[in-house]
């Protein structure tokens, strides 16, 4: 009988054995949290009626420990969730967001605050291109478009 250290799991297959290290490091734990938070955000986006191509601004409020864990995975999370802006902090967001959700993973609580980022693309009929972040700017863009069309 073979003696295997406790941190390894053995599995036999036709050509021999494989060994899996079951030890959970801080790096693995941080990656696990980042992947699960990313999955939760994707579900949150879907429940908010967003399309895959929609860009978002996302604010994540959580404790200092989780903020530190997620720091090195911010780029990964931002890319996977389609965020123009991602902020992870232990502070409350400075503005109200259209969508929000309270979540918990393995006893760690966090809150998600999300807004869709609006883009109006230039098309061939001479309309002005605007990146619109809120309704006031949208109304201004409609007004300017109507004025611009009078001069075209």
């Amino acid at each position: 009988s073979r003696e295997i250290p406790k941190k390894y799991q053995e599995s036999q297959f036709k050509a021999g054995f494989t060994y899996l290290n079951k030890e959970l490091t801080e790096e693995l734990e941080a990656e696990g949290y980042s992947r699960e938070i990313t999955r939760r955000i994707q579900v949150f986006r879907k429940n908010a009626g967003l399309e895959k191509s929609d860009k978002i601004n996302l604010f994540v409020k959580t404790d200092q420990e989780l903020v530190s864990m997620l720091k090195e995975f911010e780029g990964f999370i931002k890319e996977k969730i389609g965020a123009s802006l991602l902020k992870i902090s232990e502070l409350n967001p400075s503005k109200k967001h259209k969508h929000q959700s309270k979540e918990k993973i393995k006893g760690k609580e966090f809150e998600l605050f999300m807004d869709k980022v609006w883009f109006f693309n230039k098309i061939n009929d001479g309309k002005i291109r605007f990146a619109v972040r809120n309704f006031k700017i949208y109304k201004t863009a409609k007004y300017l478009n109507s004025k611009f069309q009078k001069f075209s």
Side-chain angles (χ1 to χ4, degrees):
S1 165
R2 249 185 326 277
E3 190 141 334
I4 302 160
K6 286 190 179 223
K7 72 177 189 174
Y8 292 101
Q9 174 71 43
E10 178 185 64
S11 183
Q12 186 175 3
F13 66 104
K14 285 182 186 180
F17 297 91
T18 59
Y19 298 90
L20 176 66
N21 185 342
K22 301 184 297 184
E23 201 171 79
L24 184 62
T25 64
E26 287 180 14
E27 292 83 15
L28 283 174
E29 189 173 16
E31 182 179 352
Y33 275 110
S34 73
R35 289 183 180 278
E36 181 59 20
I37 286 174
T38 300
R39 189 190 72 74
R40 300 274 180 104
I41 295 166
Q42 297 292 35
V43 170
F44 185 40
R45 284 175 56 101
K46 183 178 179 180
N47 292 341
L50 299 178
E51 301 290 327
K52 187 175 181 177
S53 60
D54 292 335
K55 290 287 188 186
I56 62 168
N57 288 336
L58 184 78
F59 187 94
V60 180
K61 179 189 176 206
T62 188
D63 63 26
Q64 183 57 48
E65 184 182 10
L66 199 50
V67 168
S68 297
M69 283 177 143
L70 297 175
K71 211 44 140 179
E72 86 174 78
F73 295 97
E74 270 188 70
F76 166 80
I77 295 169
K78 187 175 178 181
E79 179 186 335
K80 293 293 182 187
I81 65 170
S84 293
L85 178 71
L86 171 63
K87 175 84 171 150
I88 303 171
S89 175
E90 59 187 305
L91 304 174
N92 285 316
S94 59
K95 70 174 200 127
K96 187 169 174 60
H97 295 268
K98 184 173 182 178
H99 306 281
Q100 63 185 70
S101 176
K102 289 186 179 191
E103 305 283 336
K104 185 189 274 191
I105 300 172
K106 292 174 69 178
K108 293 224 172 270
E109 295 181 0
F110 59 97
E111 290 181 73
L112 303 172
F113 301 88
M114 177 180 69
D115 290 309
K116 179 179 175 180
V117 176
W118 295 91
F119 290 99
F120 290 86
N121 295 318
K122 183 175 183 174
I123 55 177
N124 291 333
D125 66 354
K127 290 188 178 178
I128 300 172
R129 179 181 177 165
F130 286 97
V132 181
R133 297 188 189 277
N134 62 39
F135 189 67
K136 287 180 184 176
I137 295 173
Y138 170 72
K139 287 169 64 175
T140 303
K142 280 182 68 174
Y143 172 77
L144 289 173
N145 264 338
S146 69
K147 295 295 182 192
F148 180 75
Q149 287 175 357
K150 288 181 184 178
F151 296 106
S152 306

